[in-house]
Amino acid sequence: MTTYIELKGIRKTYHPARKVSVEALRSVDLEIKKGEMIAITGVSGSGKSTLLHILGFLEHYSEGSMFFETAISHKLSATEMAKMRNQKIGFIMQDFALIPYRSAYENIELPLIFAKVPRKDRRNRIRVLSEKLGIKDLLRRKVNQMSGGQKQRVAIARALINDPELILADEPTGALDRKTKHDVMALIKSIHEEGKTIVIVTHDPEVAELADRQLHIDDGTIEYGVCKL
Ligand SMILES: Nc1ncnc2c1ncn2[C@@H]1O[C@H](COP(=O)(O)OP(=O)(O)O)[C@@H](O)[C@H]1O
Ligand SMILES: [Mg+2]
C-alpha cells in the first residue's frame, strides 16, 4: 500500500485568550496508507479530536510537516482548507453536527451544493446513496424528529455524498444504543471494504477492533500501535 498521509513532528498548541497555552499534540509522527483503517483511542483531553481536526483541514497545525499526497502548508487560507475538506474528506461526528430543523435531504445535499453539483445530479446521488444506507423513507423528515440511530445514518450519508477519499469519524457510536451501534459498525466496515481510508476515534474496544491498526494517544503523544496487517 502506498503512503497517503504523513505527519512528521506535528505539534499543536492552543493559545486561549487570557489563559495558559495548551499543548494538545506534541511531536506526532504518523503514516497512513491508502485504504487503511486506523482506530485512535485515548482518555478525554489526550488530543484525539485535535489530531482528526488537523487531518481534516479543520485546524492548522503549529509545527512540523504534513503531506497529503503532496506537502500541505500550515498556512493554507480558510478557502483552501474548505476546498480540501469538501473535495477529499467526510466527517462523522459524535453529536452528528446536522442542522436540526432541516430535512435529511437538505442536510445531505449541503456538501453537493458547496461542490456546485447541479440540482438533478444532486437528486440522483442522494437517491442512490439513501437507498444503500436504508434512509430513503427518512429523506423528507426533519432531523429534530429522528432517533439517534437515524440521525447517525443521515450524518454518515452526508459524510459520504461527495465520495470522499478519507473518512474521519469522532466517536461515531458514542451516542448510540447497542443495536444501532452494531448497524453503524457494519456500515463503517462496508465503507472500509469499499477501499476508503478511515480514521476513527473511539472509546469502544469493539469498534476499535474493526480497524487494521490501533493507535493510543496519551497527553498529545502517540504511544503505541497494534497492527493487524
Ligand atoms: N479550541 C481549543 N482551545 C483551547 N484548548 C483546546 C481547544 N481544543 C482542544 N483544546 C485542548 O487540547 C487538549 C486536547 O483536546 P482534544 O483534542 O479535544 O482531546 P480529546 O478529543 O482526546 O478529548 C485538551 O487539553 C483540550 O482542552
Ligand atoms: Mg474529542
Side-chain angles (χ1 to χ4, degrees):
M1 284 197 279
T2 50
T3 299
Y4 176 44
I5 301 168
E6 193 170 6
L7 305 182
K8 282 189 189 162
I10 289 287
R11 282 179 180 273
K12 172 70 183 179
T13 312
Y14 290 107
H15 302 281
R18 293 184 301 279
K19 289 195 191 138
V20 289
S21 48
V22 181
E23 275 217 66
L25 295 177
R26 309 163 193 262
S27 200
V28 165
D29 295 318
L30 176 62
E31 198 184 329
I32 303 175
K33 307 276 188 199
K34 195 126 205 174
E36 192 178 21
M37 177 167 174
I38 297 179
I40 299 176
T41 57
V43 298
S44 181
S46 56
K48 306 180 298 296
S49 295
T50 303
L51 179 57
L52 277 199
H53 292 169
I54 287 171
L55 288 171
F57 298 93
L58 281 168
E59 284 179 50
H60 289 292
Y61 56 91
S62 311
E63 271 176 55
S65 48
M66 173 170 171
F67 301 84
F68 204 112
E69 291 162 326
T70 162
I72 299 294
S73 163
H74 65 291
K75 293 196 178 107
L76 288 189
S77 70
T79 315
E80 287 166 325
M81 304 252 291
K83 202 169 161 202
M84 288 299 278
R85 287 200 297 272
N86 187 247
Q87 288 178 349
K88 293 193 181 284
I89 293 156
F91 280 99
I92 306 171
M93 305 293 189
Q94 176 177 7
D95 63 0
F96 318 120
L98 296 165
I99 305 172
Y101 49 88
R102 293 288 183 87
S103 69
Y105 188 96
E106 289 171 303
N107 272 278
I108 300 166
E109 192 182 27
L110 275 181
L112 295 174
I113 293 175
F114 191 82
K116 299 193 167 61
V117 175
R119 183 186 292 270
K120 203 168 149 227
D121 297 344
R122 298 204 295 263
R123 206 164 41 221
N124 285 336
R125 277 164 70 169
I126 293 170
R127 202 184 35 169
V128 171
L129 184 64
S130 60
E131 262 171 42
K132 193 173 143 197
L133 299 184
I135 54 167
K136 210 164 140 261
D137 298 337
L138 290 177
L139 286 179
R140 297 287 152 207
R141 195 183 299 180
K142 290 207 170 94
V143 166
N144 57 13
Q145 294 161 6
M146 292 180 191
S147 71
Q150 289 171 333
K151 284 181 195 164
Q152 192 56 305
R153 279 178 183 271
V154 173
I156 291 173
R158 189 193 46 190
L160 295 179
I161 194 69
N162 268 353
D163 197 23
E165 299 166 3
L166 174 65
I167 313 287
L168 300 174
D170 203 344
E171 288 284 352
T173 59
L176 304 178
D177 61 67
R178 239 194 119 60
K179 154 90 175 69
T180 315
K181 180 184 106 175
H182 281 113
D183 290 348
V184 168
M185 278 170 65
L187 206 51
I188 290 170
K189 196 163 174 231
S190 72
I191 297 165
H192 178 41
E193 279 161 4
E194 279 172 21
K196 301 277 187 206
T197 309
I198 303 179
V199 181
I200 185 168
V201 165
T202 184
H203 283 298
D204 189 326
E206 223 182 339
V207 177
E209 269 296 301
L210 291 177
D212 305 311
R213 189 151 63 106
Q214 294 183 32
L215 303 175
H216 187 77
I217 299 194
D218 182 40
D219 196 18
T221 311
I222 293 186
E223 276 210 317
Y224 59 84
V226 180
C227 192
K228 260 205 255 174
L229 295 178

